[in-house]
Amino acid sequence: MGKTSKVVVCGQVLTGKTAVLEQVIYGNHVVGAPMFSTIEDIYVAYIDTDRGVKEKVRFYDTQGIDSMNSDLPKHYITMADGFVLVYDVTSFDSFNCINRLKKDIDKYRDKKEVTIIALGNKSDLEKSPKQVDFQTAQKWAQREKVKLYEVSVANRLSLMDGFVWLASRMTQPPAKSGFPLVGRNKSKGVPSADTAH
């Protein structure tokens, strides 16, 4: 466990950003319970990684994007180690919104690598027709180098894979160099053949 990673959770209004976080972290979100619009909230959690350790992550739950609030503030984009872009599979507008957010992330971070997942929420809703099919979203995700998951807040397990992947990638230890250290010999006090004259 190292530094605390900062993750910005963003997307259009009413896509379920807060519900996703509460279900992942606490497991206590009740589907259909009244929700209030988020202005900004911060959640801190220890998230499992694929290395078998837990990493501390600070999630910034942002205000939903709409016609009145059409941009994610730049300070979120520049300070984040990772992003969770949330869209509603029953709303193509919400999918277009995460596409705009991804373009802003690329623009303001000067293409610096950052870990991003996209969550297609509300995949379990049978009453509303699906407007964003998985193949369309997957093509976008591959082009944008984003990891995509279709999820349902009603099914906590569907949410876990994305968050484990995110925490694992953000906190991945640096790869060890395959290059030997030149001029050093493992035995003490004996100069290496390269440095002996």
Side-chain angles (χ1 to χ4, degrees), residues 80-153:
D81 300 310
F83 292 87
V84 177
L85 306 177
V86 183
Y87 70 97
D88 175 348
V89 298
T90 67
S91 165
F92 205 81
D93 283 346
S94 71
F95 183 70
N96 285 332
C97 181
I98 69 163
N99 185 45
R100 287 190 312 274
L101 288 168
K102 175 62 169 70
K103 288 183 186 334
D104 284 347
I105 292 166
D106 290 343
K107 177 181 171 184
Y108 293 117
R109 292 186 66 94
D110 293 328
K111 298 280 186 184
K112 290 180 187 151
E113 283 222 10
V114 64
T115 307
I116 303 174
I117 63 171
L119 301 180
N121 192 24
K122 305 183 183 182
S123 64
D124 61 325
L125 294 184
E126 296 173 9
K127 296 176 191 170
S128 303
K130 202 172 191 182
Q131 292 185 11
V132 185
D133 67 272
F134 186 76
Q135 286 73 27
T136 300
Q138 186 63 33
K139 284 179 188 173
W140 172 84
Q142 288 173 341
R143 185 179 68 244
E144 296 294 328
K145 296 178 176 63
V146 170
K147 188 79 168 165
L148 175 71
Y149 298 88
E150 274 197 355
V151 299
S152 166
V153 170

Side-chain angles (χ1 to χ4, degrees), residues 180-185 190-197:
L181 295 174
V182 179
R184 289 204 176 167
N185 193 330
V190 179
S192 70
D194 294 341
T195 58
H197 297 302

